[in-house]
Amino acid sequence: MNVLILFNKPFNVLSQFTDRSTEASGRETLSRYIQIPHVYAAGRLDRDSEGLLLLTDDGKLQARIANPKHKMAKTYWVQVEGAPQEEALQSLRRGVQLKDGLTQPAKVRLMEEPAGLWPRNPPIRVRKSVPDSWIEMTIREGKNRQIRRMTAAIGHPCLRLIRTQIGDWHLGDLKPGEFKQVTRL
């Protein structure tokens, strides 16, 4: 039976098991948290993003999750600078023009700060003169740093990004650095 792991990737951790870059000495990888052999990340989650990362030893499942042609929905909680108005949210819903093209429409809603959210280490920058807000966004493509670039394009830079769902798999109550093995659907 194939392995599928749901992992809450902490902030500042690479979505890989080794780091052979010139910066390697100070960068954490998945190997600090997961010691299950022959599993690999199905997709990526940037070092400065947090939340759900799926790992598997099943190459076909890995491709289905990671390859944008399959258009698997991914949901994020996004803390942004400022308070987006409806017009800005509609821009995200229509698709935003980025340097590498127009994004597909996103499913977007304003939300309250998530209850029980763990503190980030280090904390986000806080500016007393500028409020921040939370948005839930669901996208079906995976351009490089897409959510961050989309929110910046509407004038609300991303302060914190947490992926909460990939397809039918949810982060649930996993704390940063925790994982669980699940039965495949």
Side-chain angles (χ1 to χ4, degrees), residues 129-140:
S129 63
V130 180
D132 59 74
S133 305
W134 285 89
I135 302 171
E136 183 178 76
M137 287 182 67
T138 301
I139 60 172
R140 293 184 172 273

Side-chain angles (χ1 to χ4, degrees), residues 80 102 113 118 122 132 142 149 163 176:
V80 296
L102 183 67
E113 180 174 338
W118 59 88
D132 59 74
R149 294 189 300 140
R163 185 162 56 198

Side-chain angles (χ1 to χ4, degrees), residues 7 9-21 23-24 26-31 33 41 44-49 53:
F7 175 57
K9 187 191 86 62
F11 177 80
N12 223 13
V13 173
L14 293 172
S15 294
Q16 57 198 43
F17 283 93
T18 58
D19 183 12
R20 295 196 169 103
S21 74
E23 304 170 23
R27 299 186 341 168
E28 283 189 83
T29 65
L30 298 176
S31 62
Y33 301 93
R44 296 187 45 84
L45 191 56
D46 293 330
R47 181 177 170 198
D48 56 354
S49 299
L53 182 66

Side-chain angles (χ1 to χ4, degrees), residues 4-181:
L4 178 63
I5 296 168
L6 280 62
F7 175 57
N8 186 346
K9 187 191 86 62
F11 177 80
N12 223 13
V13 173
L14 293 172
S15 294
Q16 57 198 43
F17 283 93
T18 58
D19 183 12
R20 295 196 169 103
S21 74
T22 57
E23 304 170 23
S25 62
R27 299 186 341 168
E28 283 189 83
T29 65
L30 298 176
S31 62
R32 176 166 182 219
Y33 301 93
I34 299 171
Q35 287 79 42
I36 298 172
H38 311 297
V39 296
Y40 300 93
R44 296 187 45 84
L45 191 56
D46 293 330
R47 181 177 170 198
D48 56 354
S49 299
E50 310 164 68
L52 184 60
L53 182 66
L54 300 178
L55 298 100
T56 184
D57 63 351
D58 181 338
K60 288 181 181 178
L61 177 61
Q62 185 179 24
R64 196 178 93 221
I65 293 166
N67 194 321
K69 77 177 184 181
H70 297 291
K71 301 197 184 318
M72 186 168 287
K74 295 172 181 74
T75 300
Y76 300 82
W77 292 338
V78 189
Q79 187 177 17
V80 296
E81 192 173 90
Q85 300 300 308
E86 186 59 28
E87 184 178 320
L89 299 176
Q90 284 295 9
S91 293
L92 296 172
R93 291 178 186 123
R94 286 190 300 267
V96 176
Q97 185 65 46
L98 303 175
K99 288 182 181 178
D100 54 347
L102 183 67
T103 66
Q104 293 178 3
K107 186 177 172 185
V108 181
R109 72 175 183 89
L110 284 174
M111 61 183 285
E112 295 294 321
E113 180 174 338
L117 184 61
W118 59 88
R120 194 185 88 171
N121 186 19
I124 65 156
R125 73 178 192 281
V126 175
R127 296 185 347 181
K128 292 180 183 179
S129 63
V130 180
D132 59 74
S133 305
W134 285 89
I135 302 171
E136 183 178 76
M137 287 182 67
T138 301
I139 60 172
R140 293 184 172 273
E141 58 187 336
K143 295 178 185 222
N144 186 39
R145 299 180 70 79
Q146 180 174 342
I147 298 282
R148 292 178 189 281
R149 294 189 300 140
M150 288 176 76
T151 60
I154 63 160
H156 296 280
C158 178
L159 301 172
R160 189 171 181 190
L161 184 61
I162 303 167
R163 185 162 56 198
T164 60
Q165 185 175 347
I166 301 171
D168 293 327
W169 297 288
H170 296 264
L171 185 60
D173 59 359
L174 289 174
K175 303 289 182 236
E178 291 182 348
F179 69 89
K180 67 179 177 181
Q181 191 168 330

